Amino acid sequence: MRDVLPVVIDRLARGPVAIARIIGTSGPTPRAVGAAMAVTADGEVIGSLSGGCVESALVHTCTTVLDSGEAVVEHFGIADADGIEIGLTCGGTLEVFVERVTADRRRALDELAGHLAADRRVAWATTLGSSPEWHITTSPTTRWRRLDHDVADLLASGRSGIIGVDDCDDPTISGDARPRTFVHTFAAPPRLILVGANDFVRATSSIGRSLGYRVTVVDARPVFATRARFPDADEVVVDWPHRYLEAEIRSGTVDATTAVCVMTHDPKFDVPTLRVALADSRAGFVGALGSRRTVTDRNARLIESGMAPAELDRLRSPLGLDLGGHTPAEVAVSIAAQLIAERHDASTRALHTTSGPLHH
């Protein structure tokens, strides 16, 4: 959408434009959620959603939407290699939302483009009925319908997705309903930096990826830090972890959405890495795996190295919530649960022991 947006804004001066965006996928697909193409009233096609396999059908849909003015949701599934129906040969499915955009939306699109030019994290929420409503925000506290908390969650995590459940075209549904809405978030996903190259890191990298983190595994031992051992990590770095983290902090790629989890069980890696992570306040979450004995010994080493007690107070160690797990997969779940709970400032209590709304 970033590439399509300036062209759409320019073409609006000539007339309405139909925008088609991928709002949902499953299985292997040519493009990810948020990818967009546009079709102008004079037939110009801007961008691509599938590399060709469903483009002709979408151009036809865009033309229909331009004529009718009513937005539609299209679904494309697996195509039969011997059939004539339109679909995806890669084995996945696409859900695509197509809407007509007219000159009265120009101001909103200019606002969106301005946020993108300034590298601000921004969410563009669009209700998925025949007459879409838009909501563009950079603030997690902006109120909108009854969806603001869901929008804020996706904005904070840098993810795009569908929220809400109600049919916004149903006239019997009140104006304060929660219509099915696509939230298109423009931001780099939050980072999860995992220090170490063991089974616990591998399990945590998998669940971290599923939660929308950009996962980095870093370890100084090339025999262990390999792509084959960590297939779900976005990147596997062979370097001394403290040196890598120092470079990332200097480059500005560590911020309040970044979680650093030190999981090596080796003081020569743990202590210098934690000193770097805790001395800099930019990382939002710093944790370290280990037993009570390991934590006591490591904390003593950190104090001896000159770390101030206030810096050490930022360390979540032992890492994870008390779920009683022992296996790498169970430990990964406990770590992921703590990351989620701290992001939402949640109680971590079992829901059946609480009262009131489930989502605050």
Side-chain angles (χ1 to χ4, degrees), residues 14-32:
R14 302 197 322 227
V17 176
I19 298 179
R21 285 182 285 165
I22 297 177
I23 61 173
T25 66
S26 65
T29 55
R31 302 290 304 278

Side-chain angles (χ1 to χ4, degrees), residues 163-303:
I163 59 175
V165 294
D166 298 325
D167 181 358
C168 50
D169 282 336
D170 186 341
T172 66
I173 294 177
S174 65
D176 64 350
R178 291 169 43 83
R180 189 167 185 260
T181 298
F182 175 57
V183 181
H184 194 166
T185 301
F186 298 84
R191 299 192 64 189
L192 176 60
I193 301 175
L194 302 175
V195 177
N198 52 47
D199 290 343
F200 295 96
V201 171
R202 181 163 57 248
T204 307
S205 70
S206 297
I207 197 168
R209 178 74 175 272
S210 70
L211 291 174
Y213 286 94
R214 181 166 74 87
V215 179
T216 300
V217 174
V218 55
D219 195 291
R221 301 165 296 178
V223 68
F224 296 116
T226 66
R227 169 59 63 185
R229 297 189 69 233
F230 301 96
D232 292 325
D234 293 282
E235 55 184 348
V236 179
V237 177
V238 179
D239 197 357
W240 282 88
H242 74 280
R243 187 166 61 191
Y244 170 78
L245 190 57
E246 285 174 336
E248 293 300 288
I249 291 171
R250 285 196 303 270
S251 70
T253 60
V254 173
D255 60 22
T257 69
T258 301
V260 179
C261 296
V262 177
M263 304 169 68
T264 67
H265 300 290
D266 189 334
K268 70 175 178 288
F269 294 123
D270 287 6
V271 172
T273 304
L274 289 172
R275 285 189 60 187
V276 172
L278 294 170
D280 186 271
S281 61
R282 274 168 280 195
F285 181 102
V286 181
L289 202 62
S291 66
R292 298 290 183 187
R293 180 177 178 180
T294 297
V295 170
T296 299
D297 175 72
R298 186 168 53 217
N299 287 352
R301 291 173 184 265
L302 288 167
I303 293 293

Side-chain angles (χ1 to χ4, degrees), residues 153 211 213 284-285 316 320-323 332-350 360:
D153 181 46
L211 291 174
Y213 286 94
F285 181 102
R316 282 79 155 179
L321 300 184
D322 181 13
L323 305 182
V333 169
S334 77
I335 294 170
Q338 184 175 17
L339 292 173
I340 295 168
E342 295 217 8
R343 188 175 75 195
H344 297 289
D345 193 25
S347 70
T348 73
R349 292 170 56 195
H360 299 282

Side-chain angles (χ1 to χ4, degrees), residues 28-246:
T29 55
R31 302 290 304 278
V33 168
M37 67 174 283
V39 177
T40 66
D42 56 8
E44 180 185 5
V45 179
I46 305 155
S48 171
L49 290 185
S50 68
C53 46
V54 299
E55 239 78 7
S56 59
L58 281 171
V59 169
H60 175 74
T61 300
C62 287
T63 301
T64 301
V65 168
L66 282 170
D67 291 338
S68 69
E70 293 190 354
V72 298
V73 176
E74 293 274 41
H75 296 85
F76 297 95
I78 302 170
D80 183 350
D82 298 322
I84 60 173
E85 74 278 7
I86 297 170
L88 301 175
T89 58
C90 51
T93 62
L94 289 178
E95 186 175 13
V96 181
F97 184 66
V98 185
E99 62 179 313
R100 184 174 71 174
V101 178
T102 54
D104 61 336
R105 297 282 203 182
R106 172 67 186 266
R107 180 176 295 181
L109 292 177
D110 283 339
E111 178 188 355
L112 178 62
H115 291 313
L116 297 182
D119 289 327
R120 300 187 192 100
R121 181 171 296 201
V122 57
W124 174 18
T126 306
T127 59
L128 298 179
S130 60
S131 299
E133 297 178 34
W134 287 5
H135 173 61
I136 296 172
T137 181
T138 60
S139 170
T141 61
T142 303
R143 300 301 295 263
W144 183 61
R145 309 207 42 147
R146 291 174 54 212
L147 297 168
D148 42 283
H149 292 296
D150 301 291
V151 173
D153 181 46
L154 290 173
L155 180 63
S157 66
R159 293 177 292 123
S160 297
I162 295 175
I163 59 175
V165 294
D166 298 325
D167 181 358
C168 50
D169 282 336
D170 186 341
T172 66
I173 294 177
S174 65
D176 64 350
R178 291 169 43 83
R180 189 167 185 260
T181 298
F182 175 57
V183 181
H184 194 166
T185 301
F186 298 84
R191 299 192 64 189
L192 176 60
I193 301 175
L194 302 175
V195 177
N198 52 47
D199 290 343
F200 295 96
V201 171
R202 181 163 57 248
T204 307
S205 70
S206 297
I207 197 168
R209 178 74 175 272
S210 70
L211 291 174
Y213 286 94
R214 181 166 74 87
V215 179
T216 300
V217 174
V218 55
D219 195 291
R221 301 165 296 178
V223 68
F224 296 116
T226 66
R227 169 59 63 185
R229 297 189 69 233
F230 301 96
D232 292 325
D234 293 282
E235 55 184 348
V236 179
V237 177
V238 179
D239 197 357
W240 282 88
H242 74 280
R243 187 166 61 191
Y244 170 78
L245 190 57
E246 285 174 336

